């Protein structure tokens, strides 16, 4: 597959010279580079005090992550992908974008099979959205002929049922269709998140994920698919009046999956 860049490995050539018959050549199998990485964004809302204050001394230069400022004095950045918002504790301060909801996680951990869709009931009828986390233990295919390792493709569909209604296709946010086609190469575990908007009014919602790709029966094809978990999201715009707040969104991959320490000036 041309879309997967391959690692350059030495070409081994073996043969025989002189008058001896035979000889030939062999090559070392190559493995394509991984094309995807799991990315988990952590949302952190810190309460810094009560009542109105003047604000941070110097914006992002006054926000420290693991004792390093987000922005150095010379304007260079110590981190990538960090966004932040600040509220000074006013009575009528506006809600922070991205911190205006409550999400309740729910473990699923069920493997998705071609003939066995996974259906999950939503416990909270007040939920506005659902986040579905898909897990892929590995995404790769190995050529029986050459031994080369490349990526693979897997397809699946999202649907929602409202009360006693039948299941209807649901297009995740940012996608063009309810049918998702994932083409990737990943040697290890890969997580992918999808967000579905629930129809209103509604009750007793159910989410169904269906695998469209045939299950692998070969030891040369790795494309198992799992529904790992869901998150029931209730939109609750709250401005936290009279509370001094700083909201951060960080890529947890930069911190080894642990919550970084924060301090402010």
């Amino acid at each position: 597959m041309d879309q997967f860049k391959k690692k350059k490995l030495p070409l081994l050539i073996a043969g025989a010279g002189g008058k001896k018959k035979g000889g030939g050549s062999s090559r070392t199998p190559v493995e394509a580079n991984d094309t995807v990485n799991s990315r988990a964004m952590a949302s952190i809302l810190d309460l810094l005090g009560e009542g109105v204050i003047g604000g941070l001394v110097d914006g992002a230069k006054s926000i420290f992550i693991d004792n390093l400022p987000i922005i150095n004095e010379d304007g260079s950045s110590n981190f990538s992908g960090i966004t932040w918002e600040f509220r000074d504790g006013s009575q009528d301060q506006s809600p922070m974008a991205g911190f205006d909801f409550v999400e309740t996680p729910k473990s699923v951990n069920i493997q998705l099979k071609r003939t066995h869709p996974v259906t999950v009931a939503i416990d909270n009828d007040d939920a506005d959205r659902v986040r579905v986390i898909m897990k892929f233990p590995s995404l790769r295919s190995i050529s029986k002929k050459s031994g080369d390792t490349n990526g693979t493709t897997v397809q699946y569909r999202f649907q929602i049922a409202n009360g006693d209604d039948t299941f209807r296709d649901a297009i995740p946010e940012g996608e063009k269709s309810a049918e998702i086609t994932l083409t990737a190469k990943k040697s290890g575990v890969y997580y992918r998140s999808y967000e579905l908007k629930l129809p209103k009014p509604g009750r007793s919602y159910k989410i169904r994920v269906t695998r469209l790709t045939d299950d692998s029966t070969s030891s040369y094809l790795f494309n198992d698919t799992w529904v790992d978990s869901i998150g029931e999201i209730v939109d609750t715009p709250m401005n936290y009046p009279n509370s001094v707040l700083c909201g951060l969104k960080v890529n947890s991959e930069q911190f080894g999956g642990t919550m970084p320490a924060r301090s402010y000036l």
Side-chain angles (χ1 to χ4, degrees):
M1 300 181 183
D2 293 337
Q3 68 265 43
F4 300 108
K5 295 182 180 180
K6 296 179 173 60
K7 298 176 182 177
K8 294 182 179 180
L9 298 176
L11 181 65
L12 302 181
I13 302 176
K19 297 181 180 180
K20 293 182 180 180
K21 294 182 180 181
S25 64
S26 63
R27 61 184 289 277
T28 300
V30 295
E31 180 173 353
N33 296 328
D34 286 348
T35 61
V36 292
N37 285 301
S38 300
R39 184 180 180 183
M41 297 299 294
S43 296
I44 306 168
L45 186 61
D46 284 330
L47 174 64
L48 306 184
E50 295 293 334
V52 179
I53 67 170
L56 297 170
V57 173
D58 196 5
K61 296 177 183 178
S62 299
I63 303 174
F64 294 80
I65 308 295
D66 286 342
N67 296 318
L68 287 175
I70 294 178
I71 301 295
N72 294 313
E73 289 297 328
D74 61 5
S76 61
S77 177
N78 286 312
F79 307 96
S80 61
I82 290 184
T83 59
W84 63 278
E85 287 194 52
F86 177 79
R87 296 292 182 271
D88 65 1
S90 302
Q91 172 69 30
D92 59 350
Q93 61 191 7
S94 61
M96 288 188 187
F99 295 89
D100 50 0
F101 63 88
V102 175
E103 182 170 350
T104 304
K106 181 178 180 179
S107 178
V108 179
N109 197 34
I110 298 176
Q111 185 173 2
L112 190 61
K113 293 286 191 177
R114 178 72 172 83
T115 56
H116 293 88
V118 173
T119 301
V120 184
I122 304 304
D123 298 327
N124 188 354
D125 287 346
D126 292 329
D128 297 292
R129 294 170 285 142
V130 175
R131 193 187 317 278
V132 182
I133 308 294
M134 304 293 292
K135 180 176 72 174
F136 308 88
S138 184
L139 289 167
R140 55 195 172 98
S141 60
I142 302 173
S143 169
K144 293 182 181 180
K145 182 178 180 180
S146 66
D148 291 350
T149 301
N150 284 291
T152 187
T153 296
V154 62
Q155 294 180 303
Y156 40 95
R157 178 194 294 121
F158 291 102
Q159 294 178 307
I160 294 175
N162 185 351
D164 297 326
D165 290 347
T166 59
F167 279 95
R168 300 178 184 274
D169 287 354
I171 302 176
E173 182 180 344
E175 302 289 343
K176 297 180 179 180
S177 170
E179 295 186 4
I180 307 299
T181 300
L182 175 62
T183 299
K185 157 64 171 57
K186 181 68 174 177
S187 298
V189 179
Y190 174 57
Y191 293 91
R192 194 176 182 97
S193 173
Y194 297 93
E195 191 172 299
L196 306 172
K197 187 174 182 179
L198 296 174
K200 295 294 181 179
R203 62 177 181 81
S204 302
Y205 298 106
K206 293 181 288 293
I207 305 295
R208 184 165 71 185
V209 187
T210 302
R211 181 181 169 102
L212 305 177
T213 301
D214 288 337
D215 299 325
S216 173
T217 58
S218 169
S219 59
Y220 292 87
L221 177 61
F222 302 85
N223 64 1
D224 287 352
T225 307
W226 292 68
V227 180
D228 183 72
S229 62
I230 67 166
E232 300 178 5
I233 301 172
V234 179
D235 292 326
T236 55
M238 294 181 288
N239 67 338
Y240 301 99
N242 305 310
S243 297
V244 182
L245 304 167
C246 190
L248 299 167
K249 289 187 177 181
V250 303
N251 181 0
S252 61
E253 189 177 36
Q254 296 185 71
F255 305 99
T258 61
M259 188 64 70
R262 292 91 57 206
S263 56
Y264 304 88
L265 286 177

